[in-house]
Amino acid sequence: MFNYVNKTLKSMVVALLFLFGSSQLSGETLAIDKSHSEVGFSIKHLMISNVKGKFTEFDGDLEYDLKAKKFTKFDAFVVAKSIDTGIEKRDNHLRSPDFFEVSKYPKLTFKMTKYEDGYLHGDLTIHGITKPISFELENNGIIKDLQGNTRLGFTLEAKIDRKDFGLTWNKALEMGGVLVGDKVKITIELETVAL
């Protein structure tokens, strides 16, 4: 009888340790502090200058392993109609079927597939088209704020070709070249709070 109880207790302890260990693998849940974060981009205009913009509405489902210092989950989105380049006429054109077609494709999404060697790999969906991309990720540190919350900061950078996502609108210039470049640099500044 004693052996049976002993074995049962051991099994329960092993099961609890397994469950506890499994929950730790998922890491800390991080909330994005949107007032101190930005999803930005830049693209060539007239082949000679970089026009910058951002998306003002975004969110994500993030988990981070504090010990391993890596993301275990990074699923995020931006609201397409929230695009802001500082010029209303240009923003309305970007929302139109020539570009993001926001009435049909209201969100741009990113779903992480793996994290390794400072790169966050995943699937980016824009305009209904999904392609794998990799963000170079810089860990900007971890700190306690004035209220005692644990905060983590990150910078993510990637380059994509907009034509890969069906964003092909352009106009040729008389002297050669095109109005809008194809390469887009994405820069994301994240300040997060561990929950």
Side-chain angles (χ1 to χ4, degrees), residues 22-129:
S22 297
S23 68
Q24 293 305 302
L25 289 175
S26 63
E28 293 282 340
T29 299
L30 301 182
I32 299 172
D33 179 349
K34 296 171 194 172
S35 62
H36 296 101
S37 300
E38 183 174 273
V39 178
F41 62 88
S42 63
I43 188 168
K44 286 285 187 188
H45 177 249
L46 295 173
M47 313 296 292
I48 60 169
S49 65
N50 287 306
V51 170
K52 295 184 178 182
K54 61 185 177 181
F55 292 92
T56 60
E57 295 179 43
F58 53 88
D59 208 345
D61 186 5
L62 315 181
E63 292 179 358
Y64 190 79
D65 187 325
L66 292 171
K67 290 183 179 179
K69 294 184 179 179
K70 66 177 185 178
F71 279 99
T72 54
K73 185 175 186 180
F74 196 112
D75 297 345
F77 69 88
V78 300
V79 177
K81 71 178 181 181
S82 74
I83 194 166
D84 180 5
T85 64
I87 306 292
E88 186 176 359
K89 184 178 179 181
R90 179 168 59 204
D91 293 343
N92 287 333
H93 188 202
L94 290 169
R95 295 179 185 116
S96 78
D98 283 344
F99 288 94
F100 290 106
E101 199 171 357
V102 300
S103 60
K104 187 175 181 181
Y105 306 105
K107 290 182 179 179
L108 290 69
T109 64
F110 176 81
K111 187 174 181 64
M112 173 184 155
T113 53
K114 65 178 178 177
Y115 173 85
E116 62 179 5
D117 301 325
Y119 284 86
L120 193 66
H121 305 282
D123 294 323
L124 178 65
T125 301
I126 301 175
H127 199 247
I129 297 173

Side-chain angles (χ1 to χ4, degrees), residues 102-172:
V102 300
S103 60
K104 187 175 181 181
Y105 306 105
K107 290 182 179 179
L108 290 69
T109 64
F110 176 81
K111 187 174 181 64
M112 173 184 155
T113 53
K114 65 178 178 177
Y115 173 85
E116 62 179 5
D117 301 325
Y119 284 86
L120 193 66
H121 305 282
D123 294 323
L124 178 65
T125 301
I126 301 175
H127 199 247
I129 297 173
T130 301
K131 297 283 184 181
I133 72 162
S134 297
F135 281 97
E136 184 174 2
L137 187 144
E138 181 180 354
N139 187 330
N140 296 326
I142 180 171
I143 196 168
K144 290 280 187 182
D145 66 17
L146 297 176
Q147 289 73 41
N149 300 308
T150 300
R151 290 181 176 261
L152 299 90
F154 307 93
T155 300
L156 296 87
E157 292 187 343
K159 288 184 179 179
I160 62 171
D161 189 323
R162 66 187 179 93
K163 291 189 297 185
D164 290 343
F165 297 91
L167 306 179
T168 59
W169 184 92
N170 221 331
K171 282 191 176 181

